Amino acid sequence: MLPVLVLVCLQSPAAHALAGSQPLGAVDLPLTRLPGVDPFNSAGVSFLDYDGDGWSDLYVNASAGLWRNLGGTTFVRVADLDVFLPPIVNRYGASCGDYDNDGLPDIACSPRGDCFFLLHNLGVGVFQEVAGDPAIVEGTLSCQMYGESFAWADVDADGDIDLWLTAYPDDVSPGSGGNQFLENLGPTGPGGAYRFAVRTQESGLFVPDNVNRPEGAQFVDVDRDGDTDGFANNTVYQNVCAGSAPRFLQLVRNVTGITLANVLDEGTVFLDHDLDGDPDLVCLYRGRNVLWENRGDGTFFDASERLETPASGATEGCSAEDWDLDGDLDLSTAAIFRRNLLVETGTPFLRLATTSINESFLNFCQPAWSDWDKDGDMDCALGNFSGRSAFFRNTTYTSDTPALQKVALRVRAVRASATLARGLETEFGATVELRVHGDTSGFVRRRFVAASHGYSQQSEYALTLALPSGPDADAPARGVVFDLLVDFPELAGNGILRIDRDVNPVLGELELETLSEREITVFRDGAVLVDGALVPPRAAFAAHLSSTGALVLPAPGVVLDDLQPAPASPWFVGLELDTRPVDAATRVAELVLDGQLTPSGAGRCDANVQLWDVTPGEPPRLVRAESRASAPRNRRSFLALDWLLKPQRIYRVLCRVSALRASPATSGFGPLAVNGALSFELANPCDGAAFAAAPLLTDARCLELRYRAGAPLASAKGTRR
């Protein structure tokens, strides 16, 4: 019988004055220290809702302190969980995840030359250490492991979250054993207990040769193919799981463009710094921060010119959050905070930010972010590797700020539970996107749910996203209308699992000012909880997006080609689609292009994205014409569409491009037939007959379409009102 720990209250909420507090002035970082709570020692901080009451609590592994959130007013330390843990000197961070789907997050503790510990949350203030039980963890883990950042995710889409223990290899710390991966086997243990099996070598998530040791680690969909990839030790671990067994390919150096594989990082964090929809990467190398910009296809290049003084703050600890609520992500590295000026200037540049935080909290700080008072802005638990740590409140909004002056929205992506109405916060890797009506900025407002947020710290599960202000300066929430969608982690071969307004119409045409609650919960099964009402999805409406065939991705030993200039101008690439095998309408949701769109002209025929009906026996007809922009520094762009294809027709989808890259033709999945690809010159963009007569290619293509069959013939509208 393993020992259990019952929580007892060690400290009541303090009311004494805060000594040494400083008023917040006109600074970039709007944080002020929470009064009445003493500083604490921390080498990493992790937000979790340990008691399932809807308020973010905090776990501090260095001291084993569990801090309870008292309804957003303050925090009180309710227990020390160190009865199972090694001496305090050996503790770094922790990662919290609900591995047994009971709605209570469990705690995986990073060991420092010691055994791995997993604290199972049994509810009502009771924890139990289970990593040492061979009936729960099958396989051998070193008791000399040196780990810093762990990450949870359901990498094989089997319904329960797995755990990646990134750790030093033996050539750095003898006996540490390197990265370890624990596959969650579900309720297959004694009495239906969830259990794990060590599957490190089989999964491919071990440390490859000739790279440095891991410090930061994250699970994120690097290449936007719908599954959850990994990153640690300067290596992209590409998810290629096609069945029940987790499987990753190790992509190193030139394959990804991240060429500093043998350089030690002291933290890594993914953030879409330029709002083009793909996750970029910041690596904190000793002496230099590097911004690796994603080209859209899962490869990267050095864009560190977008960091002011890259050497500043290049020691330990990093995080990313939109602390100023302007819609773009800001950055912290060690004691340095950088504010993203994309929204203000139109160009992503992370400028050194000013702060009123006392220097004693800013040594090797590791912020974890949470709107723990639920006022709409992101507050902070400022962990500190070698100094004092404390809670800081964001003062952008206060409890007195009127709702019409707030433009933030909180989104929870969850899995449905038969016993927990709030759902299970286990969808790590899910991406949330807001599409604002009338927004001409071109920004893609897309964020992902993570279990690790840079270096030995974990921010809250829910995502807080800021929308652009409406036309009324005194009431910026007025007139803001948006659609919300969530892509849930799935095996790439099953298609993108997207819950949007087609699956649940309530996610369309949402009006910010009419939301009485600024929190929306989206369930993996398509249900949506909004303003206290649970809205079911459409009956029998497919949530997965089918594909016409995927474009090329990086592979071990294979470096992707760059884009090539179009052979002539104007040049078109495209696909011919046959809907004659389909009985219902098909809704095209996304176009993925390997190329650069040319600027559109003024006429309808000059649009750079076109849909032509070329059904034989009828004159060609231009059905849709849209002027779009591809991400200017990318090889691959993802363009949101809302097209209906009628059954029993032949269509040609065409993009006018200045540069292109062809991928080998692959078989798609779904009811649409792809007759072939197109790549040709055409001087007259209104010549429908020439569009219809262009020859088809069968061996290569430059674009992919993602779609749903069986769509309603009318565009889905919001129905919440």
Side-chain angles (χ1 to χ4, degrees), residues 341-360:
L341 300 183
L342 171 60
V343 170
E344 290 84 353
T345 67
T347 300
F349 182 71
L350 288 97
R351 176 180 60 81
L352 297 181
T354 57
T355 174
S356 292
I357 299 175
N358 189 289
E359 289 186 2
S360 65

mmCIF file with all atom_site columns, all heavy atoms in Angstrom, residues 341-360:
data_model
loop_
_atom_site.group_PDB
_atom_site.id
_atom_site.type_symbol
_atom_site.label_atom_id
_atom_site.label_alt_id
_atom_site.label_comp_id
_atom_site.label_asym_id
_atom_site.label_entity_id
_atom_site.label_seq_id
_atom_site.pdbx_PDB_ins_code
_atom_site.Cartn_x
_atom_site.Cartn_y
_atom_site.Cartn_z
_atom_site.occupancy
_atom_site.B_iso_or_equiv
_atom_site.pdbx_formal_charge
_atom_site.auth_seq_id
_atom_site.auth_comp_id
_atom_site.auth_asym_id
_atom_site.auth_atom_id
_atom_site.pdbx_PDB_model_num
ATOM 1   N N   . LEU A 1 341 ? 5.930  44.540 -30.925 1.00 0.00 ? 341 LEU A N   1
ATOM 2   C CA  . LEU A 1 341 ? 5.361  45.751 -31.510 1.00 0.00 ? 341 LEU A CA  1
ATOM 3   C C   . LEU A 1 341 ? 4.629  45.489 -32.823 1.00 0.00 ? 341 LEU A C   1
ATOM 4   O O   . LEU A 1 341 ? 4.358  46.422 -33.580 1.00 0.00 ? 341 LEU A O   1
ATOM 5   C CB  . LEU A 1 341 ? 6.473  46.785 -31.745 1.00 0.00 ? 341 LEU A CB  1
ATOM 6   C CG  . LEU A 1 341 ? 7.239  47.234 -30.509 1.00 0.00 ? 341 LEU A CG  1
ATOM 7   C CD1 . LEU A 1 341 ? 8.261  48.309 -30.888 1.00 0.00 ? 341 LEU A CD1 1
ATOM 8   C CD2 . LEU A 1 341 ? 6.304  47.760 -29.435 1.00 0.00 ? 341 LEU A CD2 1
ATOM 9   N N   . LEU A 1 342 ? 4.282  44.250 -33.096 1.00 0.00 ? 342 LEU A N   1
ATOM 10  C CA  . LEU A 1 342 ? 3.631  43.929 -34.364 1.00 0.00 ? 342 LEU A CA  1
ATOM 11  C C   . LEU A 1 342 ? 2.334  44.701 -34.549 1.00 0.00 ? 342 LEU A C   1
ATOM 12  O O   . LEU A 1 342 ? 2.106  45.334 -35.584 1.00 0.00 ? 342 LEU A O   1
ATOM 13  C CB  . LEU A 1 342 ? 3.370  42.421 -34.443 1.00 0.00 ? 342 LEU A CB  1
ATOM 14  C CG  . LEU A 1 342 ? 2.512  41.943 -35.617 1.00 0.00 ? 342 LEU A CG  1
ATOM 15  C CD1 . LEU A 1 342 ? 3.163  42.292 -36.942 1.00 0.00 ? 342 LEU A CD1 1
ATOM 16  C CD2 . LEU A 1 342 ? 2.261  40.445 -35.522 1.00 0.00 ? 342 LEU A CD2 1
ATOM 17  N N   . VAL A 1 343 ? 1.448  44.627 -33.577 1.00 0.00 ? 343 VAL A N   1
ATOM 18  C CA  . VAL A 1 343 ? 0.148  45.282 -33.720 1.00 0.00 ? 343 VAL A CA  1
ATOM 19  C C   . VAL A 1 343 ? 0.307  46.799 -33.800 1.00 0.00 ? 343 VAL A C   1
ATOM 20  O O   . VAL A 1 343 ? -0.390 47.470 -34.563 1.00 0.00 ? 343 VAL A O   1
ATOM 21  C CB  . VAL A 1 343 ? -0.777 44.875 -32.563 1.00 0.00 ? 343 VAL A CB  1
ATOM 22  C CG1 . VAL A 1 343 ? -2.048 45.716 -32.555 1.00 0.00 ? 343 VAL A CG1 1
ATOM 23  C CG2 . VAL A 1 343 ? -1.130 43.394 -32.667 1.00 0.00 ? 343 VAL A CG2 1
ATOM 24  N N   . GLU A 1 344 ? 1.263  47.340 -33.031 1.00 0.00 ? 344 GLU A N   1
ATOM 25  C CA  . GLU A 1 344 ? 1.451  48.792 -33.017 1.00 0.00 ? 344 GLU A CA  1
ATOM 26  C C   . GLU A 1 344 ? 2.050  49.317 -34.321 1.00 0.00 ? 344 GLU A C   1
ATOM 27  O O   . GLU A 1 344 ? 1.706  50.414 -34.784 1.00 0.00 ? 344 GLU A O   1
ATOM 28  C CB  . GLU A 1 344 ? 2.359  49.193 -31.854 1.00 0.00 ? 344 GLU A CB  1
ATOM 29  C CG  . GLU A 1 344 ? 1.718  49.032 -30.481 1.00 0.00 ? 344 GLU A CG  1
ATOM 30  C CD  . GLU A 1 344 ? 1.827  47.629 -29.928 1.00 0.00 ? 344 GLU A CD  1
ATOM 31  O OE1 . GLU A 1 344 ? 2.284  46.729 -30.669 1.00 0.00 ? 344 GLU A OE1 1
ATOM 32  O OE2 . GLU A 1 344 ? 1.441  47.407 -28.776 1.00 0.00 ? 344 GLU A OE2 1
ATOM 33  N N   . THR A 1 345 ? 2.976  48.549 -34.931 1.00 0.00 ? 345 THR A N   1
ATOM 34  C CA  . THR A 1 345 ? 3.732  49.069 -36.074 1.00 0.00 ? 345 THR A CA  1
ATOM 35  C C   . THR A 1 345 ? 3.502  48.318 -37.378 1.00 0.00 ? 345 THR A C   1
ATOM 36  O O   . THR A 1 345 ? 3.897  48.803 -38.435 1.00 0.00 ? 345 THR A O   1
ATOM 37  C CB  . THR A 1 345 ? 5.234  49.038 -35.763 1.00 0.00 ? 345 THR A CB  1
ATOM 38  O OG1 . THR A 1 345 ? 5.675  47.669 -35.662 1.00 0.00 ? 345 THR A OG1 1
ATOM 39  C CG2 . THR A 1 345 ? 5.535  49.767 -34.458 1.00 0.00 ? 345 THR A CG2 1
ATOM 40  N N   . GLY A 1 346 ? 2.915  47.142 -37.303 1.00 0.00 ? 346 GLY A N   1
ATOM 41  C CA  . GLY A 1 346 ? 2.754  46.317 -38.486 1.00 0.00 ? 346 GLY A CA  1
ATOM 42  C C   . GLY A 1 346 ? 3.938  45.414 -38.758 1.00 0.00 ? 346 GLY A C   1
ATOM 43  O O   . GLY A 1 346 ? 3.893  44.572 -39.661 1.00 0.00 ? 346 GLY A O   1
ATOM 44  N N   . THR A 1 347 ? 5.015  45.557 -37.996 1.00 0.00 ? 347 THR A N   1
ATOM 45  C CA  . THR A 1 347 ? 6.213  44.734 -38.163 1.00 0.00 ? 347 THR A CA  1
ATOM 46  C C   . THR A 1 347 ? 6.542  44.070 -36.838 1.00 0.00 ? 347 THR A C   1
ATOM 47  O O   . THR A 1 347 ? 6.635  44.751 -35.811 1.00 0.00 ? 347 THR A O   1
ATOM 48  C CB  . THR A 1 347 ? 7.417  45.586 -38.605 1.00 0.00 ? 347 THR A CB  1
ATOM 49  O OG1 . THR A 1 347 ? 7.116  46.210 -39.846 1.00 0.00 ? 347 THR A OG1 1
ATOM 50  C CG2 . THR A 1 347 ? 8.663  44.725 -38.766 1.00 0.00 ? 347 THR A CG2 1
ATOM 51  N N   . PRO A 1 348 ? 6.730  42.755 -36.823 1.00 0.00 ? 348 PRO A N   1
ATOM 52  C CA  . PRO A 1 348 ? 7.063  42.096 -35.556 1.00 0.00 ? 348 PRO A CA  1
ATOM 53  C C   . PRO A 1 348 ? 8.474  42.462 -35.114 1.00 0.00 ? 348 PRO A C   1
ATOM 54  O O   . PRO A 1 348 ? 9.453  42.197 -35.802 1.00 0.00 ? 348 PRO A O   1
ATOM 55  C CB  . PRO A 1 348 ? 6.942  40.602 -35.893 1.00 0.00 ? 348 PRO A CB  1
ATOM 56  C CG  . PRO A 1 348 ? 7.156  40.531 -37.372 1.00 0.00 ? 348 PRO A CG  1
ATOM 57  C CD  . PRO A 1 348 ? 6.630  41.802 -37.941 1.00 0.00 ? 348 PRO A CD  1
ATOM 58  N N   . PHE A 1 349 ? 8.569  43.110 -33.979 1.00 0.00 ? 349 PHE A N   1
ATOM 59  C CA  . PHE A 1 349 ? 9.858  43.459 -33.389 1.00 0.00 ? 349 PHE A CA  1
ATOM 60  C C   . PHE A 1 349 ? 9.682  43.412 -31.884 1.00 0.00 ? 349 PHE A C   1
ATOM 61  O O   . PHE A 1 349 ? 8.801  44.083 -31.330 1.00 0.00 ? 349 PHE A O   1
ATOM 62  C CB  . PHE A 1 349 ? 10.319 44.844 -33.829 1.00 0.00 ? 349 PHE A CB  1
ATOM 63  C CG  . PHE A 1 349 ? 11.664 45.226 -33.270 1.00 0.00 ? 349 PHE A CG  1
ATOM 64  C CD1 . PHE A 1 349 ? 12.810 44.608 -33.734 1.00 0.00 ? 349 PHE A CD1 1
ATOM 65  C CD2 . PHE A 1 349 ? 11.777 46.183 -32.280 1.00 0.00 ? 349 PHE A CD2 1
ATOM 66  C CE1 . PHE A 1 349 ? 14.061 44.942 -33.220 1.00 0.00 ? 349 PHE A CE1 1
ATOM 67  C CE2 . PHE A 1 349 ? 13.017 46.527 -31.753 1.00 0.00 ? 349 PHE A CE2 1
ATOM 68  C CZ  . PHE A 1 349 ? 14.165 45.901 -32.227 1.00 0.00 ? 349 PHE A CZ  1
ATOM 69  N N   . LEU A 1 350 ? 10.497 42.616 -31.216 1.00 0.00 ? 350 LEU A N   1
ATOM 70  C CA  . LEU A 1 350 ? 10.366 42.438 -29.784 1.00 0.00 ? 350 LEU A CA  1
ATOM 71  C C   . LEU A 1 350 ? 11.355 43.360 -29.083 1.00 0.00 ? 350 LEU A C   1
ATOM 72  O O   . LEU A 1 350 ? 12.559 43.072 -28.999 1.00 0.00 ? 350 LEU A O   1
ATOM 73  C CB  . LEU A 1 350 ? 10.578 40.972 -29.403 1.00 0.00 ? 350 LEU A CB  1
ATOM 74  C CG  . LEU A 1 350 ? 9.396  40.085 -29.843 1.00 0.00 ? 350 LEU A CG  1
ATOM 75  C CD1 . LEU A 1 350 ? 9.675  39.403 -31.166 1.00 0.00 ? 350 LEU A CD1 1
ATOM 76  C CD2 . LEU A 1 350 ? 9.056  39.048 -28.787 1.00 0.00 ? 350 LEU A CD2 1
ATOM 77  N N   . ARG A 1 351 ? 10.835 44.477 -28.611 1.00 0.00 ? 351 ARG A N   1
ATOM 78  C CA  . ARG A 1 351 ? 11.625 45.550 -28.014 1.00 0.00 ? 351 ARG A CA  1
ATOM 79  C C   . ARG A 1 351 ? 11.758 45.330 -26.514 1.00 0.00 ? 351 ARG A C   1
ATOM 80  O O   . ARG A 1 351 ? 10.848 44.851 -25.850 1.00 0.00 ? 351 ARG A O   1
ATOM 81  C CB  . ARG A 1 351 ? 10.939 46.895 -28.292 1.00 0.00 ? 351 ARG A CB  1
ATOM 82  C CG  . ARG A 1 351 ? 11.615 48.096 -27.630 1.00 0.00 ? 351 ARG A CG  1
ATOM 83  C CD  . ARG A 1 351 ? 10.893 49.389 -27.949 1.00 0.00 ? 351 ARG A CD  1
ATOM 84  N NE  . ARG A 1 351 ? 9.511  49.397 -27.510 1.00 0.00 ? 351 ARG A NE  1
ATOM 85  C CZ  . ARG A 1 351 ? 9.118  49.650 -26.262 1.00 0.00 ? 351 ARG A CZ  1
ATOM 86  N NH1 . ARG A 1 351 ? 10.012 49.873 -25.314 1.00 0.00 ? 351 ARG A NH1 1
ATOM 87  N NH2 . ARG A 1 351 ? 7.837  49.665 -25.948 1.00 0.00 ? 351 ARG A NH2 1
ATOM 88  N N   . LEU A 1 352 ? 12.915 45.720 -25.961 1.00 0.00 ? 352 LEU A N   1
ATOM 89  C CA  . LEU A 1 352 ? 13.113 45.623 -24.522 1.00 0.00 ? 352 LEU A CA  1
ATOM 90  C C   . LEU A 1 352 ? 12.036 46.403 -23.798 1.00 0.00 ? 352 LEU A C   1
ATOM 91  O O   . LEU A 1 352 ? 11.753 47.562 -24.134 1.00 0.00 ? 352 LEU A O   1
ATOM 92  C CB  . LEU A 1 352 ? 14.490 46.153 -24.136 1.00 0.00 ? 352 LEU A CB  1
ATOM 93  C CG  . LEU A 1 352 ? 15.702 45.392 -24.696 1.00 0.00 ? 352 LEU A CG  1
ATOM 94  C CD1 . LEU A 1 352 ? 16.988 46.026 -24.200 1.00 0.00 ? 352 LEU A CD1 1
ATOM 95  C CD2 . LEU A 1 352 ? 15.663 43.927 -24.315 1.00 0.00 ? 352 LEU A CD2 1
ATOM 96  N N   . ALA A 1 353 ? 11.424 45.772 -22.804 1.00 0.00 ? 353 ALA A N   1
ATOM 97  C CA  . ALA A 1 353 ? 10.298 46.374 -22.097 1.00 0.00 ? 353 ALA A CA  1
ATOM 98  C C   . ALA A 1 353 ? 10.740 46.895 -20.739 1.00 0.00 ? 353 ALA A C   1
ATOM 99  O O   . ALA A 1 353 ? 11.670 46.374 -20.113 1.00 0.00 ? 353 ALA A O   1
ATOM 100 C CB  . ALA A 1 353 ? 9.179  45.352 -21.919 1.00 0.00 ? 353 ALA A CB  1
ATOM 101 N N   . THR A 1 354 ? 10.049 47.926 -20.290 1.00 0.00 ? 354 THR A N   1
ATOM 102 C CA  . THR A 1 354 ? 10.302 48.473 -18.961 1.00 0.00 ? 354 THR A CA  1
ATOM 103 C C   . THR A 1 354 ? 9.375  47.814 -17.946 1.00 0.00 ? 354 THR A C   1
ATOM 104 O O   . THR A 1 354 ? 8.289  47.349 -18.273 1.00 0.00 ? 354 THR A O   1
ATOM 105 C CB  . THR A 1 354 ? 10.077 49.990 -18.946 1.00 0.00 ? 354 THR A CB  1
ATOM 106 O OG1 . THR A 1 354 ? 8.732  50.269 -19.374 1.00 0.00 ? 354 THR A OG1 1
ATOM 107 C CG2 . THR A 1 354 ? 11.060 50.680 -19.870 1.00 0.00 ? 354 THR A CG2 1
ATOM 108 N N   . THR A 1 355 ? 9.822  47.786 -16.690 1.00 0.00 ? 355 THR A N   1
ATOM 109 C CA  . THR A 1 355 ? 9.056  47.146 -15.637 1.00 0.00 ? 355 THR A CA  1
ATOM 110 C C   . THR A 1 355 ? 9.346  47.820 -14.308 1.00 0.00 ? 355 THR A C   1
ATOM 111 O O   . THR A 1 355 ? 10.417 48.407 -14.124 1.00 0.00 ? 355 THR A O   1
ATOM 112 C CB  . THR A 1 355 ? 9.389  45.644 -15.535 1.00 0.00 ? 355 THR A CB  1
ATOM 113 O OG1 . THR A 1 355 ? 8.722  45.088 -14.404 1.00 0.00 ? 355 THR A OG1 1
ATOM 114 C CG2 . THR A 1 355 ? 10.884 45.419 -15.398 1.00 0.00 ? 355 THR A CG2 1
ATOM 115 N N   . SER A 1 356 ? 8.414  47.746 -13.401 1.00 0.00 ? 356 SER A N   1
ATOM 116 C CA  . SER A 1 356 ? 8.611  48.256 -12.045 1.00 0.00 ? 356 SER A CA  1
ATOM 117 C C   . SER A 1 356 ? 8.881  47.139 -11.040 1.00 0.00 ? 356 SER A C   1
ATOM 118 O O   . SER A 1 356 ? 8.899  47.379 -9.836  1.00 0.00 ? 356 SER A O   1
ATOM 119 C CB  . SER A 1 356 ? 7.376  49.050 -11.597 1.00 0.00 ? 356 SER A CB  1
ATOM 120 O OG  . SER A 1 356 ? 7.242  50.236 -12.335 1.00 0.00 ? 356 SER A OG  1
ATOM 121 N N   . ILE A 1 357 ? 9.092  45.926 -11.516 1.00 0.00 ? 357 ILE A N   1
ATOM 122 C CA  . ILE A 1 357 ? 9.341  44.804 -10.612 1.00 0.00 ? 357 ILE A CA  1
ATOM 123 C C   . ILE A 1 357 ? 10.708 44.969 -9.953  1.00 0.00 ? 357 ILE A C   1
ATOM 124 O O   . ILE A 1 357 ? 11.704 45.270 -10.623 1.00 0.00 ? 357 ILE A O   1
ATOM 125 C CB  . ILE A 1 357 ? 9.259  43.472 -11.371 1.00 0.00 ? 357 ILE A CB  1
ATOM 126 C CG1 . ILE A 1 357 ? 7.857  43.292 -11.960 1.00 0.00 ? 357 ILE A CG1 1
ATOM 127 C CG2 . ILE A 1 357 ? 9.605  42.304 -10.465 1.00 0.00 ? 357 ILE A CG2 1
ATOM 128 C CD1 . ILE A 1 357 ? 7.714  42.070 -12.832 1.00 0.00 ? 357 ILE A CD1 1
ATOM 129 N N   . ASN A 1 358 ? 10.771 44.770 -8.653  1.00 0.00 ? 358 ASN A N   1
ATOM 130 C CA  . ASN A 1 358 ? 12.019 44.869 -7.915  1.00 0.00 ? 358 ASN A CA  1
ATOM 131 C C   . ASN A 1 358 ? 13.034 43.864 -8.449  1.00 0.00 ? 358 ASN A C   1
ATOM 132 O O   . ASN A 1 358 ? 12.701 42.722 -8.767  1.00 0.00 ? 358 ASN A O   1
ATOM 133 C CB  . ASN A 1 358 ? 11.753 44.620 -6.433  1.00 0.00 ? 358 ASN A CB  1
ATOM 134 C CG  . ASN A 1 358 ? 12.960 44.914 -5.565  1.00 0.00 ? 358 ASN A CG  1
ATOM 135 O OD1 . ASN A 1 358 ? 13.937 44.174 -5.588  1.00 0.00 ? 358 ASN A OD1 1
ATOM 136 N ND2 . ASN A 1 358 ? 12.878 45.992 -4.797  1.00 0.00 ? 358 ASN A ND2 1
ATOM 137 N N   . GLU A 1 359 ? 14.308 44.292 -8.525  1.00 0.00 ? 359 GLU A N   1
ATOM 138 C CA  . GLU A 1 359 ? 15.349 43.446 -9.103  1.00 0.00 ? 359 GLU A CA  1
ATOM 139 C C   . GLU A 1 359 ? 15.524 42.134 -8.358  1.00 0.00 ? 359 GLU A C   1
ATOM 140 O O   . GLU A 1 359 ? 16.015 41.157 -8.919  1.00 0.00 ? 359 GLU A O   1
ATOM 141 C CB  . GLU A 1 359 ? 16.675 44.209 -9.145  1.00 0.00 ? 359 GLU A CB  1
ATOM 142 C CG  . GLU A 1 359 ? 16.704 45.338 -10.170 1.00 0.00 ? 359 GLU A CG  1
ATOM 143 C CD  . GLU A 1 359 ? 18.077 45.970 -10.270 1.00 0.00 ? 359 GLU A CD  1
ATOM 144 O OE1 . GLU A 1 359 ? 19.002 45.491 -9.570  1.00 0.00 ? 359 GLU A OE1 1
ATOM 145 O OE2 . GLU A 1 359 ? 18.221 46.936 -11.036 1.00 0.00 ? 359 GLU A OE2 1
ATOM 146 N N   . SER A 1 360 ? 15.148 42.082 -7.096  1.00 0.00 ? 360 SER A N   1
ATOM 147 C CA  . SER A 1 360 ? 15.318 40.846 -6.339  1.00 0.00 ? 360 SER A CA  1
ATOM 148 C C   . SER A 1 360 ? 14.456 39.714 -6.877  1.00 0.00 ? 360 SER A C   1
ATOM 149 O O   . SER A 1 360 ? 14.688 38.543 -6.553  1.00 0.00 ? 360 SER A O   1
ATOM 150 C CB  . SER A 1 360 ? 14.989 41.081 -4.859  1.00 0.00 ? 360 SER A CB  1
ATOM 151 O OG  . SER A 1 360 ? 13.619 41.406 -4.686  1.00 0.00 ? 360 SER A OG  1
#
